[in-house]
Amino acid sequence: MLLDTVKRKFIKELTVFGVVLTGLTLLVFHVFIPQWYFAWFPLIPVFFYLFGFLYIYMFAFSYMLGADKIAMTYLVCKVVKFILSALILIFYGFVIGKDVVSFVATFVFFYFAFLFFETRFFLRFEARLKLSKQVNNEKNTVHSNNTAAVAGNPFHDAEGGNRR
């Protein structure tokens, strides 16, 4: 249940963030620096949007394996994204070779913008996960002491669970 909610929220925020960032970038290109616009621009936001889907589904998979694997999944996804981004930049520079400076500058801008977005989202998710885990642990601790006292265990009192 929690995982489905987080996935939906992430996809919604990813979509809004991607559309707004792409729109603002297009506005800057067409109003301020039209000579820098290049034909391959639309593929940059699509790449980062699709990679966002990979992130959330990798997190969902690792969460099902255990919440302790989320940090490692985050690091693995970041490394994969970095390597794939470097390969795309190299490919574009050597094979396409047109408007390389514009492509690299725009790609790096989107890379860091999505890096900030994803990091912020998953740090908030991790903090909420730890908080809910802490609350559950506190509830279990409180309930276990009260349960022993209410159940009629003569060795525990209701206040602190101390032995007599």
Side-chain angles (χ1 to χ4, degrees):
M1 180 77 169
L2 169 73
L3 194 56
D4 290 335
T5 305
V6 170
K7 281 194 319 192
R8 272 183 273 149
K9 183 175 179 172
F10 178 80
I11 291 170
K12 179 182 164 191
E13 288 184 18
L14 177 72
T15 303
V16 169
F17 180 77
V19 167
V20 168
L21 185 65
T22 302
L24 289 175
T25 307
L26 280 173
L27 183 70
V28 167
F29 270 135
H30 289 299
V31 172
F32 298 109
I33 49 175
Q35 68 276 11
W36 274 42
Y37 185 79
F38 51 97
W40 291 87
F41 171 77
L43 294 179
I44 293 174
V46 168
F47 168 76
F48 288 105
Y49 186 72
L50 292 176
F51 216 92
F53 275 99
L54 175 69
Y55 271 141
I56 196 63
Y57 285 104
M58 288 294 292
F59 274 91
F61 180 72
S62 68
Y63 184 76
M64 288 187 297
L65 294 177
D68 58 329
K69 301 202 182 329
I70 289 178
M72 184 57 74
T73 302
Y74 178 78
L75 292 175
V76 167
C77 285
K78 290 297 173 195
V79 168
V80 168
K81 182 179 179 181
F82 179 78
I83 292 171
L84 194 56
S85 295
L87 290 173
I88 288 172
L89 290 173
I90 291 169
F91 175 81
Y92 187 86
F94 286 116
V95 175
I96 308 291
K98 186 175 181 184
D99 298 321
V100 175
V101 174
S102 300
F103 181 84
V104 170
T106 306
F107 194 91
V108 169
F109 172 72
F110 270 82
Y111 182 89
F112 282 111
F114 274 89
L115 177 71
F116 175 77
F117 167 76
E118 292 158 351
T119 302
R120 183 185 59 84
F121 186 88
F122 288 115
L123 283 176
R124 287 186 310 167
F125 171 71
E126 187 74 23
R128 286 185 190 138
L129 190 65
K130 285 182 181 179
L131 181 65
S132 69
K133 192 174 188 179
Q134 183 181 14
V135 167
N136 286 340
N137 286 342
E138 288 175 2
K139 284 182 182 177
N140 288 339
T141 303
V142 170
H143 290 322
S144 63
N145 287 340
N146 289 339
T147 304
V150 171
N153 188 342
F155 298 109
H156 290 87
D157 65 349
E159 294 293 321
N162 297 326
R163 290 192 174 262
R164 292 185 183 179

